[in-house]
Short mmCIF file of all heavy atoms in Angstrom, two decimals:
data_model
loop_
_atom_site.label_atom_id
_atom_site.label_comp_id
_atom_site.label_asym_id
_atom_site.label_seq_id
_atom_site.Cartn_x
_atom_site.Cartn_y
_atom_site.Cartn_z
N LYS A 1 6.09 -7.05 4.87
CA LYS A 1 6.65 -5.87 5.53
C LYS A 1 8.17 -5.95 5.67
O LYS A 1 8.81 -4.97 6.02
CB LYS A 1 6.01 -5.70 6.90
CG LYS A 1 4.50 -5.45 6.83
CD LYS A 1 3.89 -5.31 8.21
CE LYS A 1 2.39 -5.11 8.11
NZ LYS A 1 1.76 -5.01 9.44
N SER A 2 8.73 -7.12 5.39
CA SER A 2 10.19 -7.26 5.46
C SER A 2 10.62 -8.47 4.65
O SER A 2 9.85 -9.41 4.45
CB SER A 2 10.66 -7.42 6.91
OG SER A 2 10.28 -8.68 7.43
N GLY A 3 11.88 -8.44 4.19
CA GLY A 3 12.44 -9.61 3.51
C GLY A 3 12.58 -10.79 4.45
O GLY A 3 12.53 -11.95 4.03
N ARG A 4 12.74 -10.51 5.74
CA ARG A 4 12.86 -11.58 6.73
C ARG A 4 11.62 -12.47 6.72
O ARG A 4 11.70 -13.69 6.84
CB ARG A 4 13.06 -10.97 8.12
CG ARG A 4 13.26 -12.00 9.23
CD ARG A 4 13.24 -11.30 10.58
NE ARG A 4 14.36 -10.39 10.72
CZ ARG A 4 15.52 -10.73 11.28
NH1 ARG A 4 15.70 -11.95 11.73
NH2 ARG A 4 16.48 -9.85 11.38
N ALA A 5 10.43 -11.85 6.54
CA ALA A 5 9.19 -12.62 6.53
C ALA A 5 9.14 -13.55 5.32
O ALA A 5 8.71 -14.70 5.43
CB ALA A 5 7.99 -11.67 6.52
N VAL A 6 9.58 -13.06 4.16
CA VAL A 6 9.59 -13.89 2.95
C VAL A 6 10.52 -15.08 3.14
O VAL A 6 10.19 -16.22 2.80
CB VAL A 6 10.03 -13.07 1.72
CG1 VAL A 6 9.94 -13.91 0.45
CG2 VAL A 6 9.18 -11.82 1.58
N GLU A 7 11.68 -14.80 3.70
CA GLU A 7 12.66 -15.86 3.90
C GLU A 7 12.17 -16.88 4.93
O GLU A 7 12.33 -18.08 4.76
CB GLU A 7 13.97 -15.25 4.37
CG GLU A 7 15.19 -16.08 4.01
CD GLU A 7 16.45 -15.26 4.14
OE1 GLU A 7 16.90 -15.07 5.28
OE2 GLU A 7 16.97 -14.80 3.12
N ALA A 8 11.53 -16.37 6.00
CA ALA A 8 11.02 -17.27 7.04
C ALA A 8 9.95 -18.19 6.47
O ALA A 8 9.83 -19.35 6.90
CB ALA A 8 10.45 -16.45 8.20
N ALA A 9 9.18 -17.69 5.49
CA ALA A 9 8.14 -18.52 4.88
C ALA A 9 8.73 -19.77 4.23
O ALA A 9 8.08 -20.82 4.17
CB ALA A 9 7.36 -17.72 3.84
N GLY A 10 9.95 -19.67 3.77
CA GLY A 10 10.60 -20.83 3.14
C GLY A 10 11.08 -21.87 4.13
O GLY A 10 11.41 -22.99 3.73
N ASP A 11 11.12 -21.51 5.42
CA ASP A 11 11.61 -22.45 6.44
C ASP A 11 10.52 -22.89 7.39
O ASP A 11 10.80 -23.45 8.46
CB ASP A 11 12.74 -21.79 7.25
CG ASP A 11 14.05 -21.73 6.47
OD1 ASP A 11 14.27 -22.64 5.65
OD2 ASP A 11 14.83 -20.80 6.68
N ILE A 12 9.26 -22.65 7.04
CA ILE A 12 8.15 -22.95 7.94
C ILE A 12 8.06 -24.45 8.23
O ILE A 12 8.21 -25.29 7.35
CB ILE A 12 6.82 -22.45 7.32
CG1 ILE A 12 6.76 -20.93 7.39
CG2 ILE A 12 5.62 -23.05 8.01
CD1 ILE A 12 6.85 -20.38 8.77
N ASP A 13 7.82 -24.77 9.51
CA ASP A 13 7.64 -26.16 9.93
C ASP A 13 6.18 -26.49 10.23
O ASP A 13 5.74 -27.62 10.05
CB ASP A 13 8.47 -26.44 11.19
CG ASP A 13 9.94 -26.18 11.00
OD1 ASP A 13 10.54 -26.88 10.16
OD2 ASP A 13 10.50 -25.30 11.67
N VAL A 14 5.44 -25.50 10.75
CA VAL A 14 4.05 -25.71 11.15
C VAL A 14 3.19 -24.62 10.54
O VAL A 14 3.54 -23.45 10.57
CB VAL A 14 3.90 -25.68 12.69
CG1 VAL A 14 2.45 -25.94 13.09
CG2 VAL A 14 4.82 -26.70 13.34
N LEU A 15 2.05 -25.03 9.97
CA LEU A 15 1.14 -24.09 9.33
C LEU A 15 -0.22 -24.18 10.03
O LEU A 15 -0.84 -25.25 10.06
CB LEU A 15 1.00 -24.45 7.85
CG LEU A 15 0.15 -23.55 6.97
CD1 LEU A 15 0.66 -22.12 7.00
CD2 LEU A 15 0.13 -24.07 5.55
N LEU A 16 -0.68 -23.06 10.61
CA LEU A 16 -1.98 -23.00 11.28
C LEU A 16 -2.99 -22.35 10.35
O LEU A 16 -2.73 -21.26 9.82
CB LEU A 16 -1.89 -22.20 12.58
CG LEU A 16 -0.79 -22.58 13.57
CD1 LEU A 16 -0.91 -21.73 14.83
CD2 LEU A 16 -0.85 -24.04 13.92
N LEU A 17 -4.13 -23.01 10.14
CA LEU A 17 -5.16 -22.46 9.26
C LEU A 17 -6.52 -22.53 9.93
O LEU A 17 -6.87 -23.54 10.56
CB LEU A 17 -5.23 -23.26 7.95
CG LEU A 17 -3.96 -23.35 7.12
CD1 LEU A 17 -3.34 -24.74 7.27
CD2 LEU A 17 -4.23 -23.07 5.66
N ASP A 18 -7.28 -21.43 9.82
CA ASP A 18 -8.67 -21.45 10.29
C ASP A 18 -9.47 -22.42 9.44
O ASP A 18 -9.23 -22.55 8.24
CB ASP A 18 -9.28 -20.05 10.19
CG ASP A 18 -8.85 -19.16 11.35
OD1 ASP A 18 -8.57 -19.71 12.43
OD2 ASP A 18 -8.79 -17.94 11.16
N LYS A 19 -10.45 -23.07 10.09
CA LYS A 19 -11.28 -24.01 9.35
C LYS A 19 -12.20 -23.27 8.38
O LYS A 19 -12.17 -23.50 7.17
CB LYS A 19 -12.12 -24.84 10.31
CG LYS A 19 -13.00 -25.89 9.62
CD LYS A 19 -14.18 -26.30 10.48
CE LYS A 19 -15.23 -25.22 10.52
NZ LYS A 19 -16.46 -25.61 11.21
N THR A 20 -13.00 -22.36 8.91
CA THR A 20 -14.03 -21.70 8.11
C THR A 20 -13.41 -20.73 7.11
O THR A 20 -12.65 -19.85 7.48
CB THR A 20 -15.02 -20.95 9.01
OG1 THR A 20 -15.56 -21.87 9.97
CG2 THR A 20 -16.16 -20.36 8.19
N GLY A 21 -13.73 -20.95 5.85
CA GLY A 21 -13.23 -20.06 4.80
C GLY A 21 -11.87 -20.45 4.27
O GLY A 21 -11.46 -19.95 3.22
N THR A 22 -11.17 -21.31 4.98
CA THR A 22 -9.85 -21.73 4.53
C THR A 22 -9.87 -23.19 4.11
O THR A 22 -9.57 -23.53 2.98
CB THR A 22 -8.81 -21.52 5.65
OG1 THR A 22 -8.84 -20.17 6.07
CG2 THR A 22 -7.41 -21.87 5.16
N ILE A 23 -10.27 -24.03 5.06
CA ILE A 23 -10.36 -25.46 4.77
C ILE A 23 -11.74 -25.81 4.23
O ILE A 23 -11.88 -26.61 3.31
CB ILE A 23 -10.04 -26.27 6.04
CG1 ILE A 23 -8.57 -26.05 6.42
CG2 ILE A 23 -10.33 -27.75 5.84
CD1 ILE A 23 -8.18 -26.66 7.75
N THR A 24 -12.77 -25.17 4.78
CA THR A 24 -14.13 -25.36 4.27
C THR A 24 -14.54 -24.12 3.47
O THR A 24 -13.90 -23.07 3.56
CB THR A 24 -15.12 -25.58 5.42
OG1 THR A 24 -15.18 -24.39 6.22
CG2 THR A 24 -14.67 -26.75 6.29
N VAL A 25 -15.62 -24.25 2.71
CA VAL A 25 -16.05 -23.14 1.87
C VAL A 25 -16.60 -21.98 2.68
O VAL A 25 -16.75 -20.87 2.18
CB VAL A 25 -17.12 -23.60 0.85
CG1 VAL A 25 -16.55 -24.59 -0.14
CG2 VAL A 25 -18.34 -24.16 1.56
N GLY A 26 -16.89 -22.22 3.95
CA GLY A 26 -17.31 -21.13 4.83
C GLY A 26 -18.79 -21.13 5.13
O GLY A 26 -19.21 -20.72 6.21
N ASP A 27 -19.62 -21.58 4.21
CA ASP A 27 -21.07 -21.61 4.42
C ASP A 27 -21.51 -23.06 4.57
O ASP A 27 -21.34 -23.87 3.66
CB ASP A 27 -21.80 -20.97 3.24
CG ASP A 27 -21.46 -19.50 3.08
OD1 ASP A 27 -21.19 -18.86 4.10
OD2 ASP A 27 -21.45 -19.01 1.93
N ARG A 28 -22.11 -23.37 5.71
CA ARG A 28 -22.61 -24.74 5.93
C ARG A 28 -23.85 -24.97 5.08
O ARG A 28 -24.65 -24.06 4.87
CB ARG A 28 -22.91 -24.95 7.41
CG ARG A 28 -21.69 -24.88 8.30
CD ARG A 28 -22.06 -24.88 9.76
NE ARG A 28 -22.91 -23.73 10.09
CZ ARG A 28 -23.45 -23.52 11.29
NH1 ARG A 28 -23.24 -24.38 12.26
NH2 ARG A 28 -24.20 -22.45 11.51
N GLN A 29 -23.99 -26.18 4.60
CA GLN A 29 -25.10 -26.54 3.72
C GLN A 29 -25.94 -27.65 4.36
O GLN A 29 -25.41 -28.62 4.90
CB GLN A 29 -24.59 -27.03 2.37
CG GLN A 29 -23.70 -26.03 1.65
CD GLN A 29 -24.47 -24.82 1.17
OE1 GLN A 29 -25.52 -24.95 0.52
NE2 GLN A 29 -23.97 -23.63 1.49
#
């Protein structure tokens, strides 16, 4: 939505990710 967001992505220090669907495949086996 803005060039500021693209630029900020290059300076990221911390990345938060959901477990399900991101780190794991999402479906437990």
